[in-house]
Amino acid sequence: NKGDSITIVFDTEMTEDLQISFYNSDDYQIDFSPGNFSTIFAESYMSWPSNAPPRGVSVASTKLANGYVIEASIPWYNFANYIPSDGSVIGFTISILDTDNLDNTELVISSSSVFDVNNVSTLGTLVLIDAGNIQESAETESSVSEE
C-alpha cells in the first residue's frame, strides 16, 4: 500500500466465527490500488490467506479532477472452498485508505463502524442475491422498450 488503496475483507463462514477476532482459513483480504496514472498500473493483492496477487482479477482506474474511480472484478474461484449461493450471508467490510504521504495513512473511510482491518469480529454483513443473467435481462428490457 504505497498510496491510496481500497481494502475488502470477507468472512465466508461468519456464523461459525462469531467469537473469533483473528483471520482463519475462511477469511480473505484483497487490496486494490489505482496506481499512479503514469508508471504504476492499477493492481490487486490478496493479503490473506495467500499473500500474493489473486488470480484473474481485473482492476481499472480513471483519474478525475478531484480523485479517481476504481473498478474491480474478482472471480469466485479466488475464494477457495466457498461456493456462493442465493441468500448466503458473509462477513464483509470495504475500507478506503487515503495515503498521500507514503509514511502513514491520513484517513480511513470504512463500511465497518469500528475500523480494524485485522479483526474480523468488526465486519458487517453482506447478503448475496442471485440476480440471474444481468446482461440478458438488460438486453430484454431494451428490446421491449424499443417496441
Side-chain angles (χ1 to χ4, degrees):
N1 289 335
K2 295 182 179 176
D4 293 346
S5 61
I6 295 174
T7 297
I8 300 176
V9 179
F10 298 92
D11 182 347
T12 60
E13 293 183 10
M14 187 181 70
T15 55
E16 291 85 348
D17 296 345
L18 288 177
Q19 303 303 319
I20 300 173
S21 61
F22 50 86
Y23 288 170
N24 62 24
S25 62
D26 61 66
D27 301 326
Y28 302 88
Q29 178 182 337
I30 304 175
D31 301 305
F32 301 95
S33 167
N36 68 1
F37 304 101
S38 61
T39 58
I40 300 172
F41 296 106
E43 63 183 339
S44 62
Y45 193 80
M46 187 173 280
S47 300
W48 184 267
S50 64
N51 207 26
R55 297 178 299 127
V57 171
S58 296
V59 184
S61 61
T62 303
K63 189 172 183 174
L64 304 174
N66 294 322
Y68 55 86
V69 173
I70 187 167
E71 181 178 343
S73 171
I74 310 165
W76 282 111
Y77 57 71
N78 282 288
F79 303 93
N81 303 317
Y82 179 71
I83 299 171
S85 62
D86 189 33
S88 291
V89 178
I90 60 176
F92 174 80
T93 291
I94 183 168
S95 302
I96 301 167
L97 289 78
D98 180 22
T99 311
D100 298 328
N101 176 353
L102 297 184
D103 293 333
N104 60 354
T105 298
E106 288 87 27
L107 176 67
V108 175
I109 299 172
S110 181
S111 63
S112 176
S113 61
V114 178
F115 176 75
D116 183 350
V117 72
N118 296 313
N119 184 343
V120 293
S121 68
T122 66
L123 299 180
T125 56
L126 179 68
V127 178
L128 302 180
I129 298 173
D130 185 352
N133 185 331
I134 296 172
Q135 182 175 359
E136 183 179 292
S137 297
E139 290 169 358
T140 302
E141 284 179 22
S142 68
S143 67
V144 169
S145 63
E146 292 173 3
E147 294 176 359

